[in-house]
Amino acid sequence: MDLAPVLASAGVVAVATAADVPGENNYGSAVHDDPIFAAGLVEYAGAPLFAVAAATYGAARAAARRAKVDYEPLPAILDIRAALAANTTVLPTQRLVRGRPHEVLEQAPHRLKGTVRVGGQDHFYLEGQIAIALPQEDGGMLVHSSTQHPSEVQQIVAHALARRANQVTVQCRRMGGGFGGKETQPALIAAAAAVMAHKTGRPIKLRLDRDTDMVMTGKRHDFLADYDVGFDSSGRILALTVMLASRCGYSADLSGPVNDRAMMHLDNAYFLENVEIISHRCKTHTVSNTAFRGFGGPQGMVVIEQIVDSIARVLGMDPLVVRRRNFYGTHDRNVTHYGQVVEDNLVHLLVDRLAESAGYRERRKRIAEWNAAQPIVRRGIALTPVKFGISFTATMFNQAGALVHVYTDGTVLLNHGGTEMGQGLFTKVAQVVATEFGLPLAAIRVSATDTSKVPNTSATAASASSDLNGKAAQAAAQAIRGRLTQFVCEKFSVGEADVSFRDGLVFAGPQKLTFAELVGEAYRARVSLSSTGFYRTPKIEYDKNTLRGRPFFYFAYGAAVSEVAVDTLTGETQLLRVDILHDAGRSLNPAIDLGQVEGGFLQGVGWLTSEELWWNEQGELRTHAPSTYKIPTARDWPSHWSVELLEGRPNSEETIYRSKAVGEPPLMLAISTLMAIRDAIASCGSDRALPDLTAPATPEAVLRCLENVDAGTIVYRVAAVDAEADA
Ligand code: MTE
Ligand code: HPA
Ligand code: MOS
């Protein structure tokens, strides 16, 4: 690398490379295999080589382009099939098996083999990756980071600078969206900024422009699955084997737990009595893929939904009938393939109610009539369920802390370990504290997330943050309220049962005073008005080596019906109508939760229909801006829609006010849209055609699929099946 022209460029203050990292040149979270600055070996097109500090953003970008870098091209593996052929993985292959899948497959009356392909996804957070590093006294470093995981950024910055954790403070006021893309990736940006701040002794702000952000940072894993399923004439799955492979990119990052979650959600809502899943974590010379809303779960669920859909088509049945036939039972057939009992199965209830309210049966008939009369624009409909496990699969992450201060004027400052990224967490946790003190929400102020206030936090991820931080904040508030109650009891000579906190007032038998008055008096009586709170999720235990146990505290459920139109001449699809019924337990905030359901659903629709990542033969990402990478917009929201939360079903587990996590599960409701497109395409082929539709179902993918269906070429091989005879 010749960086002299960079340094000589106008406005440039400094250049930093791997040689300038005083500590460890690495930001790997699980395995230390992610260099901050590539040194010698570049493993993907877009890997950071050096950083430039300049007086202005424009000057820095112009200077960076003047670097002279000589590369010696090495053989590259760019996709999953190539990685499988070369047998390269970032982590060892995992196998999860229950029952006798191979034996039962041999004896099954029907058998179907096929392949499911599902693409990746860029997070497209509206605010890109960004950090500011500010040198402090005595070798300290303060970092403002747009991160879902301040504690990890703290650790990695400390390692990079060869400092101790107590010398680095990381703050996050809020993110302009994260979606999983700011769980591990911000550490790179923060560490690079900190290295430069260390080198120059000056504050450094590092912001990636959109194209660089898309090229440089990890995305959702694309997956490939080869399956072999055995079933009976009623559509019940008897045995299933799946070779599940994902593109992890060049390093491990979170690919271990992402692929574990894919394996553990390959059942979705279905009981798989005899099943084998072999999960390959493929190494490719592309950007290292990472967390993205659903964390592997959506990819696993697309696989089983496509299998169930295909079984229905082979048998000439309504896919919903086959889905129902395979649902987990409420009393029997209720143990997952990893050994967790499905204790509060809401799938039957949700699907029955939604099928009814959405008029699924009648509409299916009407669509069949429409398709019989309309050669060009076909329609399709599908109802798919969601069952999603709530908790980090790594049990240790299921903990949280909070810090609550009450000031003498009766106002409250709340700090907790969770971060805000638009999902409404700060509002929800503030609501909890307001409720515990009987105060209006306006009396609670939430401070920025700060590693110096609540230490050793987990990522704000796995949808569990209101469960975790809500409970921790509740514990802190209850500790203070307990002391105040004690004080009131002594002051008014009443029992604890006579004290209550409501509407900004404190009642003690017949007496009452304002919360502010009480707090003022308690202060003068030297009562502590500050407390930490801590929470650990109960009941969970899980062995990540055997992939068995109870990884999840509970499941969140949902169901959706999508109706689509497909233009068979252009391949264009349109979502005409969606009906959603979603389970948020006793919702902490229905307005926020409905927003999460709508946003999650549409983000899923984007993943499965329009967002396409495309790399050229040199391994360069060519879809790195909104000109070529198409996220859904307001115009993609259907004109007819209904989104409702399931009423009257509080969480059967003791979560915060019996609510349920809602951040990720709704994304998977979008599988109904993909299946509806498949339904529309199937109507173009011969009876029982199996569309080989890949996701994302872009117009090109739809046209490719239509060609096969038109030609009567069924890409799936139907082995040992005599569907005609059965019918
Ligand atoms: N909603 C918005 N508006 N922005 C986001 O970045 N991230 C999603 C989800 N909803 C996200 C979002 C992801 S990936 C997760 S894990 C959860 O929010 C995290 O927050 P929670 O645990 O508070 O639900
Ligand atoms: N979900 C989301 N993020 C995570 C997880 C998980 O299960 N484990 C580690 N990071
Ligand atoms: Mo969400 S993918 O767990 O940040």
Side-chain angles (χ1 to χ4, degrees):
M1 276 195 304
D2 177 8
L3 300 180
V6 180
L7 206 50
S9 195
V12 169
V13 175
V15 172
T17 66
D20 295 298
V21 181
E24 200 192 346
N25 178 32
N26 213 293
Y27 74 100
S29 55
V31 182
H32 291 225
D33 56 355
D34 290 289
I36 298 166
F37 299 116
L41 182 66
V42 175
E43 290 212 77
Y44 74 99
L49 306 178
F50 62 92
V52 190
T56 68
Y57 188 65
R61 290 190 62 190
R65 275 186 227 109
R66 301 181 64 187
K68 294 207 178 78
V69 184
D70 282 336
Y71 297 97
E72 176 201 344
L74 298 174
I77 289 166
L78 298 176
D79 62 26
I80 297 174
R81 284 277 184 224
L84 286 173
N87 198 16
T88 58
T89 54
V90 291
L91 291 163
T93 293
Q94 294 281 344
R95 179 167 172 268
L96 178 52
V97 61
R98 168 167 67 184
R100 300 169 296 124
H102 294 279
E103 279 170 73
V104 178
L105 261 181
E106 293 303 326
Q107 298 150 10
H110 303 275
R111 194 163 165 184
L112 183 66
K113 295 184 191 187
T115 297
V116 181
R117 276 172 250 115
V118 50
Q121 186 177 22
D122 188 86
H123 302 85
F124 224 100
Y125 24 60
L126 293 185
E127 172 212 47
Q129 304 279 350
I130 183 164
I132 303 175
L134 301 138
Q136 308 289 298
E137 64 183 31
D138 297 333
M141 191 65 76
L142 171 64
V143 182
H144 294 274
S145 170
S146 182
T147 176
Q148 293 172 241
H149 204 344
S151 287
E152 186 168 286
V153 171
Q154 177 197 18
Q155 274 186 27
I156 287 167
V157 166
H159 292 160
L161 297 183
R163 307 271 164 79
R164 311 304 301 255
N166 65 5
Q167 293 176 289
V168 178
T169 300
V170 176
Q171 285 181 11
C172 177
R173 177 68 254 185
R174 65 181 70 77
M175 285 159 276
F179 305 111
K182 292 176 183 169
E183 185 168 339
T184 57
Q185 309 299 292
L188 167 63
I189 310 306
V195 166
M196 188 64 93
H198 166 80
K199 180 169 179 168
T200 58
R202 292 167 65 174
I204 295 290
K205 177 169 171 175
L206 176 53
R207 171 168 73 84
L208 302 187
D209 66 282
R210 177 65 55 182
D211 299 71
T212 313
D213 192 305
M214 289 185 74
V215 166
M216 200 192 270
T217 65
K219 309 176 193 316
R220 184 188 291 287
H221 296 63
D222 46 321
F223 270 69
L224 181 130
D226 292 330
Y227 69 83
D228 188 346
V229 63
F231 50 100
D232 66 18
S233 308
S234 76
R236 183 171 276 193
I237 296 173
L238 303 174
L240 172 66
T241 63
V242 182
M243 187 288 296
L244 189 65
S246 73
R247 183 212 305 249
C248 299
Y250 76 93
S251 72
D253 188 79
L254 295 169
S255 292
V258 165
N259 284 274
D260 288 355
R261 192 174 275 268
M263 296 173 86
M264 286 189 282
H265 283 76
L266 206 125
D267 58 340
N268 190 13
Y270 311 109
F271 179 64
L272 303 174
E273 192 167 7
N274 297 285
V275 60
E276 176 187 70
I277 305 166
I278 293 178
S279 159
H280 299 297
R281 292 98 202 263
C282 299
K283 171 165 176 161
T284 53
H285 296 105
T286 47
V287 70
S288 188
N289 285 327
T290 192
F292 196 135
R293 205 169 193 170
F295 206 73
Q299 294 95 316
M301 283 158 63
V302 166
V303 173
I304 192 67
E305 288 301 338
Q306 183 150 323
I307 291 171
V308 172
D309 193 78
S310 294
I311 291 172
R313 295 190 188 283
V314 166
L315 295 175
M317 292 168 66
D318 177 349
L320 182 56
V321 173
V322 176
R323 290 200 159 87
R324 283 195 161 112
R325 207 142 272 164
N326 286 287
F327 282 163
Y328 279 106
T330 39
H331 300 292
D332 61 340
R333 293 168 54 87
N334 63 348
V335 182
T336 65
H337 51 309
Y338 47 88
Q340 174 156 358
V341 180
V342 181
E343 283 176 349
D344 189 26
N345 187 354
L346 297 180
V347 162
H348 300 264
L349 174 75
L350 280 165
V351 168
D352 290 353
R353 282 201 196 165
L354 181 68
E356 184 67 32
S357 67
Y360 174 83
R361 282 246 240 134
E362 305 79 71
R363 283 166 60 198
R364 213 176 132 74
K365 260 193 232 116
R366 262 190 280 131
I367 287 168
E369 287 161 20
W370 164 283
N371 285 340
Q374 300 287 335
I376 309 287
V377 177
R378 296 297 184 126
R379 290 193 177 174
I381 189 168
L383 188 161
T384 58
V386 167
K387 168 182 133 286
F388 191 78
I390 302 301
S391 292
F392 287 93
T393 51
T395 303
M396 68 172 173
F397 293 140
N398 296 287
Q399 56 171 305
L403 177 62
V404 172
H405 301 319
V406 177
Y407 294 102
T408 51
D409 65 352
T411 62
V412 179
L413 186 70
L414 162 64
N415 188 278
H416 58 77
T419 57
E420 178 61 51
M421 58 190 109
Q423 85 278 39
L425 176 68
F426 278 19
T427 303
K428 286 181 171 181
V429 182
Q431 277 179 260
V432 169
V433 172
T435 304
E436 295 301 324
F437 286 130
L439 289 172
L441 192 57
I444 319 295
R445 188 168 172 277
V446 187
S447 75
T449 313
D450 187 327
T451 55
S452 69
K453 290 191 175 170
V454 176
N456 312 322
T457 52
S458 298
T460 302
S463 304
S465 316
S466 47
D467 288 14
L468 297 171
N469 296 287
K471 276 281 192 187
Q474 181 187 41
Q478 285 180 348
I480 300 170
R481 195 186 65 192
R483 289 179 216 137
L484 290 172
T485 302
Q486 207 58 48
F487 175 67
V488 168
C489 289
E490 283 159 25
K491 179 176 157 74
F492 294 106
S493 309
V494 294
E496 273 183 36
D498 300 318
V499 181
S500 63
F501 293 70
R502 265 181 291 133
D503 306 324
L505 299 171
V506 181
F507 297 84
Q511 288 105 182
K512 65 173 186 208
L513 69 173
T514 67
F515 184 79
E517 285 165 352
L518 169 64
V519 161
E521 284 191 35
Y523 165 75
R524 289 188 286 277
R526 294 184 293 170
V527 174
S528 164
L529 296 172
S530 172
S531 179
T532 59
F534 183 77
Y535 176 72
R536 59 200 293 270
T537 310
K539 294 190 178 179
I540 48 176
E541 44 83 32
Y542 173 67
D543 181 343
K544 78 171 170 40
N545 298 312
T546 61
L547 299 157
R548 279 209 161 56
R550 177 181 180 166
F552 306 121
F553 190 24
Y554 62 89
F555 296 100
Y557 299 91
V561 180
S562 286
E563 180 175 342
V564 301
V566 174
D567 185 327
T568 58
L569 297 182
T570 64
E572 196 185 345
T573 64
Q574 200 184 337
L575 180 56
L576 300 174
R577 173 171 166 179
V578 67
D579 294 80
I580 293 173
L581 185 56
H582 195 81
D583 158 38
R586 185 188 287 145
S587 171
L588 284 175
N589 186 319
I592 289 175
D593 288 356
L594 286 169
Q596 286 290 294
V597 175
E598 291 168 13
F601 171 75
L602 199 62
Q603 190 167 43
V605 170
W607 168 47
L608 293 172
T609 64
S610 66
E611 297 180 38
E612 185 170 25
L613 294 165
W614 191 82
W615 284 265
N616 66 15
E617 301 78 55
Q618 280 72 50
E620 293 165 320
L621 179 66
R622 302 306 296 156
T623 49
H624 52 71
S627 55
T628 46
Y629 186 81
K630 295 296 178 187
I631 62 167
T633 69
R635 289 187 53 178
D636 295 296
W637 189 258
S639 46
H640 295 84
W641 58 278
S642 154
V643 176
E644 284 181 26
L645 300 177
L646 179 67
E647 298 279 344
R649 294 300 298 238
N651 198 333
S652 62
E653 294 296 346
E654 229 181 87
T655 51
I656 184 76
Y657 306 148
R658 301 274 177 180
S659 62
K660 277 196 185 181
V662 74
E664 296 165 286
L667 182 125
M668 288 149 270
L669 297 168
I671 298 173
S672 63
T673 305
L674 183 68
M675 292 301 135
I677 295 172
R678 204 166 187 250
D679 188 49
I681 294 173
S683 79
C684 302
S686 54
D687 198 18
R688 301 181 185 195
L690 287 183
D692 183 30
L693 182 62
T694 55
T698 57
E700 293 87 342
V702 168
L703 285 179
R704 271 196 300 272
C705 182
L706 276 165
E707 268 172 28
N708 294 333
V709 169
D710 277 348
T713 325
I714 295 170
V715 179
Y716 293 91
R717 252 189 311 283
V718 181
V721 175
D722 190 355
E724 291 300 329
D726 257 297

